[in-house]
Amino acid sequence: MEILVPLMNGFAVALTPLNLAYLLAGVLMGTLVGILPGLGPTAGIAILLPATLHVEPVTAIVMLAAIYYGAMYGATITAILINTPGVPAVVASTFDGHPLARKGRAGAALVMQAVASFVGGMTGLVLLVLIAPFATVFATRFGPPEFFVLSAAGMIAMGAILGADRRSGVLSALLGFALATIGLDVGSGQPRFTFGSADLLAGVPFVPLAIGVFGVGEVLHAIRGQNEAGPGPGSEASLSRVNVPTSAEWAESRPAMLRGSAIGFVIGVVPGVGATLASLIAYGVEKARSASPERFGDGAMAGLAAPEAANNAAASGAMVPLLMLGVPGSAATAVLLGAFLTWGLLPGPLLMTENPDFAWGLIASMVLGNLALLTVSLVAVPAFSAIARIPFGLVAPIVIVLCVVGAAASTGGAFGIIVMWAGGLLGYAMKRFGFSTPALIIAFVLAPLAEDSLRQTLVISGGSPTIFLDRPVALVLGVLTLIAVARGPIRASSSKGPP
Amino acid sequence: MTHRSSLARRLGTLAVLGLAACTGQESGRDDAPYPSGRLQWTIPFGPGGGNDRMARTLIEIIDQYELYPAAIEPSNRVGGSGAQGWGWIFARRGDPYQITTISGSFLTLPFQAGVPWSPADFTPVALLASDDAVVVVAADAPLTTFEAFLATARDRPVAIGGVGALNSDVLTLQGLARQAGFTLRYVSFNGFGALSSALLSGAVEVVVTSPGEAIGLLQAGTIRAIGYAGDAPPSWMAEVPTFETLGYGDVVVSMPRGVVLAPGVGPEAQAWWVETMRRVAETPEWADYLETAGLRREEVYGDAFGEALGELERVFRTAFEEGR
């Protein structure tokens, strides 16, 4: 196959000692940036960008891309262990990842996340090499109508996480939508619900809200649980439990990973939608297909494997529009695109042909980077799963400190801390009264995408909804979504009970 | 309300700690000659965007020629079309170590979003360039010329995309629509990524953007430029007709790109920065940057820049009110 020649050249580029050193540095820094909630891959790349100005562009992109996908691995560790997703793409990994940790199976969950991430990342890369030219055609079919249909599919998938009480779940999601309307409106440029606050013009920031609602809310809830009902989460971990996935769990996770990888790559290729939607839809699909959906939300291994494979496959898929079109698909890839210009490279369709070493060196380095991440993650599993066995009384203050630091770092000041505490109280109250915090956060992430794309669509069509029928990709996606709905709503009673 | 007061006290403590941390970073003292301290360069937009690229280019040139004696620390304070970053600088009245780069929304936010500052509050340093819009279509689109675009737009609504709801590009389009006699159907996007995929997918037929954003797709021939708002296009798209030659020269509203200090900074620091920016603007590196970013050189320094900003704000405000 002629495609192997440039790929082999890519490996030759990636395997030089300098590039390998930068790759490993990027992988480790990315994992670290992911583990500590707050900075996130976008900020991590931006901070390290100046440090790359004095090396070759290939070396620089190898390191910066490693930070990008390394952060996906790292963020999941925090999401599993302390229920605190530092990036939107790992929110879906908390649904079953954290219940597993609470049951004392943090080790098994971490092994699964490492393997699923690796499978997702590698499948994404194989697809990237094999079908990138075709995928480019696919990527250029997405305008606002298609984005809206995709976000609608995301909302259907959200049905999988509404919780035991469907009415509370829907209310939680509506609250998430409401929070997302705060800020400067893209359509009209007018501020909405900001009450004169300059901080709120940018909207409620995701990172402090998510670590407040999940991390702080969880700790507050656990404190109450300990006081009232004996040992709370974290303390029930028992050493005797099996701390690797069982063969039954491998069996259910293998197809979940493959489906998650495929979904992740396809959605990752679409510029601007990315890993969050991919992981959520992968989770929804897995739960809908499962013979025992009631285990989802209560520590089903497939419910962790699918979104993990999906978000890492999406990170590979995002390289298609970035390398082949010069169109950034996410905030993090937008920074990478800006970096291309800083290095004197012109992003766009000519990049692959005029700088093959750069593009193929990057792809080859991602293969090596995923291998390195798998190794690092598996080696670190005992250390991280030990964290899950630390008594709750010791872990709780550390979690709070991490959350405060992360919230402050993400907004550069006290505003993030205020949002985090407000989110923490909200998260606590929601858990206490049986509302769904995942539904709130997912709705908060999906709402701007859905709102902007719907409004853009209707401006384009002059208010006529038939535009969704005129555009083939939107039509096909819409029909698929409707079929998914018609095949039976995801059972309401199937989600997690009170912990 | 004990809970609330204890929260307030804790936040107060945090604020004090934060302030202590900030002052601890600044090595510059009032009696030391200016400049001697660490400079904080606030970039009010995300990394990779036009404002960010300009700020980082300026910092790189300043470092390369060793024009600033201490460290320069760029921070992206992103959000609210720049409101976050400029609001941050606005709150640091009198601090000569706070500098920022401006974009079009610097002029529109005060009347658009009711932020508590106006451009006149800041200490003006230099207008360095104008960012003039380029009108592009997909390479395989039926609208191949500016005339064809206008004729079609008079005939039926044409969806035109751009980044943001109110900026110089939108004002230019509103003027164009009035003068050419068509109804503007403008679609606002969050960033160039979503905008360019909407264009390539055919959802919008025409896009108005900065040449520096479109350069990659233009040079690959994926998209085609049909009109340029400035008076002389960058050399790499020299064949593109200007609005002037097309007969629409007076509808153009340019986006100013320049540098301001925090409000209430003394004349000494202002003069130092005016001099430094003059030297930066003379370097070949700056000329290279202007060329690739598709920016037009336009230099106005010090208080004259302040007056120009006031004049531009009036232009924007008038156009905004006419457009309503």
Side-chain angles (χ1 to χ4, degrees), chain A residues 182-286:
Chain A
I182 295 172
L184 216 51
D185 167 34
V186 178
S188 68
Q190 299 300 303
R192 297 190 298 195
F193 308 114
T194 57
F195 302 101
S197 155
D199 285 322
L200 283 177
L201 277 180
V204 178
F206 168 80
V207 171
L209 182 72
I211 62 189
V213 166
F214 281 110
V216 178
E218 175 86 7
V219 168
L220 295 178
H221 190 257
I223 290 171
R224 186 190 153 82
Q226 261 196 339
N227 289 345
E228 289 194 347
S235 57
E236 62 191 71
S238 87
L239 291 165
S240 61
R241 296 286 284 274
V242 188
N243 239 345
V244 290
T246 62
S247 52
E249 283 171 339
W250 284 118
E252 74 162 346
S253 298
R254 263 193 296 269
M257 275 181 219
L258 292 180
R259 277 191 292 267
S261 304
I263 292 169
F265 180 79
V266 169
I267 296 180
V269 164
V270 177
V273 182
T276 311
L277 202 51
S279 57
L280 183 68
I281 291 180
Y283 185 86
V285 164
E286 246 8 87

Side-chain angles (χ1 to χ4, degrees), chain A residues 312-414:
Chain A
N312 285 279
S316 305
M319 293 295 151
V320 171
L322 181 72
L323 292 177
M324 309 212 48
L325 292 174
V327 172
S330 65
T333 46
V335 184
L336 290 180
L337 195 72
F340 290 3
L341 289 161
T342 318
W343 302 324
L345 289 171
L346 209 54
L350 295 181
L351 184 78
M352 281 294 246
T353 43
E354 290 186 354
N355 303 84
D357 279 3
F358 177 82
W360 288 102
L362 169 64
I363 293 170
S365 84
M366 288 178 72
V367 174
L368 300 174
N370 272 290
L371 265 173
L373 279 165
L374 177 69
T375 317
V376 169
S377 306
L378 288 180
V379 167
V381 162
F384 281 119
S385 49
I387 291 175
R389 288 194 294 269
I390 299 173
F392 175 73
L394 289 177
V395 168
I398 297 171
V399 170
I400 296 286
V401 168
L402 275 178
C403 288
V404 172
V405 170
S410 67
T411 59

